[in-house]
Amino acid sequence: MTKIIGPDDMEAISLGGAFLGTGGGGDPYIGKLMARAMMAEHGPVKVIDAADVPDDALCVPVCMMGAPTVMVEKLPNGDEALGALRALEAYLGRKADFLICIEAGGLNSTIPFAVAAATGLPLIDGDGMGRAFPELQMVSMTLHDISATPMVIADEKGNTGVLNAVSNQWTERLARAATVEMGGAALVALYPMSGREMKKGLLHGTLSLIHDIGQTIMTERAANRHPAEALINMRGGFDLCTARVLDIERKTTGGFARGRARLRGMDDDAGREFILSFQNEFLCLEDDVGQPLALTPDLICALDADGGLPVTTENLRFGLAIRLIGLPADPQWRSAGGLALAGPEYFGYAHPFQPLEDLVASKPTQPKTLNKETTT
């Protein structure tokens, strides 16, 4: 089945990507504007079911690499992603047949639409994460032994480089160093794969899911309802907490936005405090006694507690009231291989992985009542 995505669809896609991206993937507003501009010039984009892609087709993801905080000030000029794709095609000696979103997150769920419009290539309905993760090797393709290289990295100055590496982990290390030298953010084309490999390695249906989530957010807001409950029911999620940002430690280092936010509970969570830790994406939520409430690779998604719009890590600020929602990760991420790639121990958190549903089941049902604060 083929879907036609036009400029008017990009609002829902940018909202859905920002929500499913667990705070990461970059500001979707930038990618939304880029996609709309390219669609206005070149026409709409076709989104194709993975099953309809020929086995011998060349399928290529394009995405942004770097710290989302950098993208706030270092905007792409619009040519980097297309330049990376063309350089990879020249290296391979073959044109791409289909494009892929590498992750369901923010800017990286919208930039591929801009490249698809500019090239006339269809996008495949899927991605490599089902959310966003901070490192290049943290994709389902790695779990299926698909190589990240050859990879091309490009910046806004016109620099491009081709990288071949012995493993996907080494691809991350070497490309991250290049990204830092390029100013902290770059555009890449990588994981070139056949249609046969794509069908095995991709998480299917993600772009349709992103659109549906974004449409749900828009519908609920138009009806003056906070979208949290609808999204929880839609995705089998869990209400983690409602809280206000008391303090935030955030720094851009090594090509990542790293930090943690201290939160004070509101409404049913009044009198409690929480720690929300992130590396580009929200990865660990702990309560006021240091017990985990949600852990990577399960999803921690943030909405503005008042307006219901998704909140990204670079937009966290003192005084902001947020509502955190937990979603179970794709089963592949809960496997031994998935946890080795993107589990809490990889990021240095002290907690071994526990499924979200088990953590939520053990959440206290009677919160403290000191210093009670409620939303207005």
Side-chain angles (χ1 to χ4, degrees), residues 73-273:
E73 297 183 1
K74 184 177 180 285
L75 301 179
N77 64 28
D79 297 329
E80 301 97 322
L82 181 57
L85 175 65
R86 293 305 188 211
L88 181 60
E89 290 176 329
Y91 181 84
L92 295 172
R94 179 181 175 183
K95 292 288 188 181
D97 299 303
F98 295 87
L99 299 178
I100 296 172
C101 288
I102 200 166
E103 65 182 357
L107 185 64
N108 279 337
S109 59
T110 49
I111 277 183
F113 282 91
V115 181
T119 60
L121 294 175
L123 268 173
I124 296 171
D125 192 356
D127 85 308
M129 302 182 192
R131 48 161 297 160
F133 282 122
E135 298 185 6
L136 289 181
Q137 79 278 13
M138 295 174 177
V139 291
S140 53
M141 289 80 82
T142 300
L143 297 175
H144 295 276
D145 299 320
I146 298 171
S147 176
T149 61
M151 164 188 167
V152 169
I153 186 167
D155 67 11
E156 80 288 353
K157 296 176 283 294
N159 296 313
T160 60
V162 179
L163 176 64
N164 282 286
V166 297
S167 70
N168 292 353
Q169 286 77 8
W170 268 105
T171 304
E172 160 64 28
R173 293 178 64 178
L174 297 173
R176 188 68 55 178
T179 299
V180 171
E181 291 300 315
M182 287 177 163
L187 278 296
V188 300
L190 72 172
Y191 286 99
M193 67 193 91
S194 69
R196 183 180 297 104
E197 290 174 315
M198 177 276 298
K199 291 170 191 176
K200 178 179 66 173
L202 209 65
L203 303 181
H204 295 200
T206 315
L207 298 189
S208 295
L209 174 59
I210 287 172
H211 185 275
D212 291 348
I213 288 173
Q215 193 62 55
T216 297
I217 293 172
M218 294 170 63
T219 299
E220 292 299 292
R221 280 172 46 82
N224 295 315
R225 295 189 295 263
H226 196 280
E229 296 303 328
L231 293 171
I232 288 170
N233 292 333
M234 175 185 179
R235 297 301 301 152
F238 300 90
D239 201 346
L240 297 175
C241 70
T242 301
R244 192 176 299 278
V245 179
L246 283 183
D247 184 39
I248 182 162
E249 304 169 14
R250 178 173 47 212
K251 59 183 178 180
T252 302
T253 177
F256 299 104
R258 304 175 189 264
R260 65 180 202 158
R262 186 161 62 95
L263 313 175
R264 174 173 290 166
M266 303 167 59
D267 299 335
D268 289 343
D269 295 300
R272 305 180 67 197
E273 290 192 1

